[in-house]
Amino acid sequence: MYCGQCGAKNDDAAAYCGNCGARLTPAQPNPVVRPKPRRSKAPVLAVAAVVVVLAIVLLVWKPFGGRSPEKVIDQLITSVLDGNMDGMLDVLPDGMLGKAMDAGDISKSEMDYYLEEGEEELQLMLEQIDDYYGDWDYEYEILSMEDLRGSELRNIQDQYEELDYDVTAAKVAEVGMTLLVDGDEESYETTRFYLIEIGRSWYFETIYSDSVF
């Protein structure tokens, strides 16, 4: 080995340098530097991909918003024919029931009673139709749907503004409804549905619309 003090060469077993007498220290082997294992980028890339996909979905879907006018009509007619009061209430603007309670000074218990009575009357009417016609059904088709403009739109906006709703658009749909008995047409009539857009969703407008039946 070589002396770290003077650089003289010594026997490998020597404890002291034969030239300068300095204590010899065996050279330490150079540590092996192992490269750190590279973490797989797969989880990070997977998370990034999910975020990108969600962003695209939100970007594409958001402008079209919630329920369409056609969906409102379908849900309303289906709910009436099923005697489903909750489905009927769901197509009204959010919070409308509470505003009606405030305007009429109606308590929650009273409103629950009215709704229960209304659902019972609807079920009774459907049972009477069952008894009279037997095997019956309804079919409907949307014949036309037009945007309301000018004074017609402003009239609706003014009425709903008083209830703190911002109506951005309104439509009127002409719907043809066919009563089928034993699979054959029994009667046919047309009904007008008024619909309003609040935020990004459409709702049933109760003031101008005709009765479903």
Side-chain angles (χ1 to χ4, degrees), residues 20-200:
C20 67
R23 185 176 181 81
L24 298 175
T25 303
Q28 299 295 323
N30 292 329
V32 178
V33 180
R34 301 182 181 274
K36 293 183 179 180
R38 298 181 62 184
R39 292 185 178 182
S40 172
K41 293 184 178 181
V44 177
L45 294 177
V47 172
V50 171
V51 172
V52 170
V53 170
L54 287 176
I56 293 174
V57 170
L58 291 174
L59 181 63
V60 173
W61 181 252
K62 188 174 180 180
F64 298 96
R67 191 165 38 200
S68 67
E70 292 81 4
K71 178 62 178 178
V72 173
I73 294 174
D74 181 74
Q75 181 173 332
L76 178 62
I77 294 176
T78 301
S79 298
V80 170
L81 295 179
D82 289 343
N84 180 6
M85 182 64 72
D86 289 338
M88 296 167 61
L89 295 175
D90 186 55
V91 298
L92 299 179
D94 297 339
M96 178 62 76
L97 199 60
K99 293 180 185 295
M101 291 169 58
D102 293 339
D105 195 22
I106 301 172
S107 67
K108 185 180 185 304
S109 59
E110 289 174 324
M111 178 58 74
D112 290 341
Y113 171 77
Y114 293 144
L115 293 177
E116 184 177 346
E117 286 287 304
E119 188 164 26
E120 289 178 359
E121 290 182 8
L122 177 58
Q123 293 286 356
L124 178 60
M125 182 186 69
L126 293 173
E127 291 174 5
Q128 291 173 343
I129 296 176
D130 287 338
D131 293 339
Y132 187 80
Y133 287 114
D135 183 15
W136 70 278
D137 199 2
Y138 251 105
E139 290 183 351
Y140 81 90
E141 59 177 336
I142 299 175
L143 303 174
S144 65
M145 187 172 303
E146 300 178 0
D147 293 326
L148 296 182
R149 305 180 186 280
S151 60
E152 289 183 304
L153 175 59
R154 285 195 298 272
N155 287 338
I156 292 178
Q157 288 175 323
D158 290 344
Q159 294 193 53
Y160 279 84
E161 187 176 1
E162 296 178 1
L163 299 173
D164 296 325
Y165 290 111
D166 182 17
V167 174
T168 54
K171 295 178 181 288
V172 58
E174 193 81 9
V175 179
M177 303 189 66
T178 303
L179 172 62
L180 300 173
V181 178
D182 294 326
D184 297 325
E185 181 178 327
E186 177 71 16
S187 64
Y188 177 86
E189 63 180 12
T190 59
T191 302
R192 289 178 305 167
F193 288 88
Y194 283 80
L195 306 121
I196 53 177
E197 185 184 36
I198 300 173
R200 296 186 181 278

